Amino acid sequence: MSGTWLFRWVLGLRSRRYVLTAGKAGGTLRWMPILPLTSVGRRTGRARTVPLMHLRDGKNSAVTASNRGMKSHPGWYWNLTAHPKVEIRVGAQTMEVLAETAGADANRPFWDRLILRAPFFDEYQKGPARRIPIVLLKPRTAAGRLGV
């Protein structure tokens, strides 16, 4: 059994438990809170849901496209760049958000917070010859504008 397959399987189980219990159970992995993110596949056009570890920043959430330190960005990241309107679930609440890759200036503070919370992410950054992006998930208002 591959470590990657096992990791994805466990994360998928936790995500389903999280959704079924409205966020009361299964909401963390390796001491990090998770949120299910649903995006549209850039090639298939189908809805895809992935559970991601995240940090809160006020009303926004931030996720990292670390892909466990692999050489390429994860598939969900490319889906977000093609279709930035996505849906996340935080506890019992589902909300539409706009995904935006943080610039280099905004990336550093999030990365520092992430390393304090989950030091294993520091190892991910040492492996690939790519900058691991931080993606900000900003809530949208009912009128479709970004929330303030």
Side-chain angles (χ1 to χ4, degrees):
M1 205 183 306
S2 155
T4 299
W5 181 88
L6 181 60
F7 180 79
R8 288 182 180 169
W9 183 76
V10 168
L11 195 54
L13 282 178
R14 293 193 72 82
S15 180
R16 283 188 288 284
R17 185 174 178 210
Y18 180 84
V19 170
L20 289 172
T21 64
K24 291 182 175 80
T28 61
L29 183 68
R30 295 181 80 180
W31 310 282
M32 288 286 296
I34 63 169
L35 61 76
L37 178 140
T38 302
S39 62
V40 175
R42 71 186 187 285
R43 293 184 186 150
T44 65
R46 293 185 192 162
R48 304 267 188 217
T49 301
V50 293
L52 300 172
M53 295 176 187
H54 74 107
L55 291 173
R56 297 289 297 162
D57 180 41
K59 293 181 181 180
N60 301 328
S61 287
V63 295
T64 178
S66 67
N67 203 15
R68 296 180 54 228
M70 303 295 181
K71 293 179 182 178
S72 61
H73 297 320
W76 63 261
Y77 177 76
W78 297 116
N79 292 344
L80 298 184
T81 61
H83 305 286
K85 285 185 193 175
V86 297
E87 192 175 271
I88 62 172
R89 184 178 185 112
V90 179
Q93 183 181 11
T94 300
M95 65 182 89
E96 187 178 282
V97 296
L98 187 64
E100 176 185 300
T101 301
D105 294 341
N107 198 338
R108 190 76 237 168
F110 282 108
W111 194 260
D112 291 343
R113 283 182 53 210
L114 184 64
I115 298 307
L116 284 174
R117 186 81 188 260
F120 58 89
F121 275 100
D122 198 32
E123 291 301 313
Y124 295 166
Q125 183 65 64
K126 292 175 184 173
R130 66 179 173 94
R131 183 177 77 78
I132 294 176
I134 299 286
V135 179
L136 303 177
L137 303 171
K138 300 179 177 183
R140 298 176 57 86
T141 64
R145 295 193 193 110
L146 285 176
V148 212

